[in-house]
Amino acid sequence: MSSGIFITFEGTDGSGKSTQITLLADALTAGGFDPVVTREPGGTGIGELIRAIILDPAHREMSAVTEMMLYAASRAQHVDEVIRPNLEAGRIVISDRFVDSSIAYQGGARELGGIVGEVNGYAVRECMPDMTFLLCAAADSVFTRIKTGSEDRIEAEGLAMQRAVAEAYRRLAEEYPERITVIDASEPIGAIHARITERVMALLESKGRARGR
Ligand code: TYD
């Protein structure tokens, strides 16, 4: 479909994804590439508005199906406006969360199951990551880190939700071992970064993109 490379980062809340995304983007830039870094929910003007609705702690009455469809709507816009055009232009696109988040949070923790894959299949239309890094930390330690009193609506669901998410992610990684690399988030930041960079460089090489652009 495209000459670009699509990399996603996944994990439970507070697993250190954003630190690793920044480090990877800096390393790619230093190597002469020009990566596009984006995130979900959000990544577009419309997506950021949807994000505010989804994560607002005041929206306690939101049903699981509404939540799933709002994430998918934000994603459909993100794919059409940002991800697909940049991949078609040959860029490296790095997204903080993508479809696997919906499979884990809405499909697993919210127990909506297979419908989440169906709705999201329609939202992304074949635009799937080439490589995904799943940062796994013990749910309890992550929850202590994020428990600051200013949680968003999903974080406020607590430890049981984080555990169910972690379990759903674990199943996904088993199902797609060639795409998803599982990383122990308790390892030192530098060691995790080195491992991620090594995998990404190997991917770039396999696509004939060892250096620059
Ligand atoms: P965010 O502040 O971006 O969290 P994080 O830094 O952990 O990525 O908030 C996004 C929240 O939305 C997070 O709790 C995960 C959740 N989420 C879903 O439940 N389903 C989804 O499809 C996505 C993309 C995120």
Side-chain angles (χ1 to χ4, degrees):
M1 175 196 84
S2 64
S3 55
I5 288 168
F6 186 21
I7 299 166
T8 58
F9 280 74
E10 297 282 353
T12 41
D13 296 348
S15 56
K17 287 180 284 100
S18 34
T19 305
Q20 290 300 332
I21 289 171
T22 305
L23 290 171
L24 175 63
D26 289 350
L28 288 169
T29 305
F33 294 93
D34 187 16
V36 176
V37 177
T38 185
R39 70 161 181 185
E40 290 199 354
T44 64
I46 291 169
E48 292 295 328
L49 291 172
I50 297 174
R51 177 188 174 90
I53 296 171
I54 303 176
L55 296 182
D56 188 336
H59 294 163
R60 267 192 217 94
E61 72 278 27
M62 188 181 294
S63 78
V65 174
T66 303
E67 180 184 287
M68 184 263 290
M69 288 186 150
L70 285 175
Y71 279 117
S74 165
R75 182 162 302 127
Q77 186 66 30
H78 194 208
V79 167
D80 285 347
E81 194 180 323
V82 176
I83 299 173
R84 202 186 299 272
N86 277 297
L87 291 176
E88 284 173 356
R91 305 273 297 271
I92 299 172
V93 178
I94 304 173
S95 185
D96 186 343
R97 299 192 180 280
F98 195 61
V99 169
D100 298 322
S101 282
S102 282
I103 307 281
Y105 284 77
Q106 283 66 53
R110 298 282 197 224
E111 299 184 351
L112 292 178
I115 188 75
V116 179
E118 277 180 51
V119 169
N120 277 278
Y122 191 65
V124 307
R125 282 149 298 129
E126 318 269 293
C127 183
M128 281 299 283
D130 297 291
M131 186 171 275
T132 298
F133 295 102
L134 171 57
L135 274 80
C136 284
D140 314 44
S141 71
V142 166
F143 192 61
T144 323
R145 275 167 56 196
I146 61 172
K147 190 125 189 58
T148 58
S150 58
E151 302 98 341
D152 63 41
R153 201 176 52 82
I154 303 290
E155 287 166 353
E157 296 280 341
L159 190 52
M161 172 119 179
Q162 297 299 325
R163 284 205 179 113
V165 167
E167 173 55 24
Y169 268 137
R170 200 189 52 72
R171 284 197 304 269
L172 258 176
E174 269 173 24
E175 203 176 329
Y176 302 102
E178 55 310 304
R179 172 171 67 85
I180 302 179
T181 302
V182 182
I183 290 179
D184 178 354
S186 68
E187 278 178 34
I189 288 174
I192 296 177
H193 171 57
R195 186 148 169 241
I196 290 173
T197 310
E198 193 185 319
R199 302 270 315 181
V200 170
M201 290 307 170
L203 175 66
L204 288 167
E205 201 141 324
S206 75
K207 302 239 179 192
R209 298 273 306 272
R211 214 31 239 168
R213 238 239 34 122

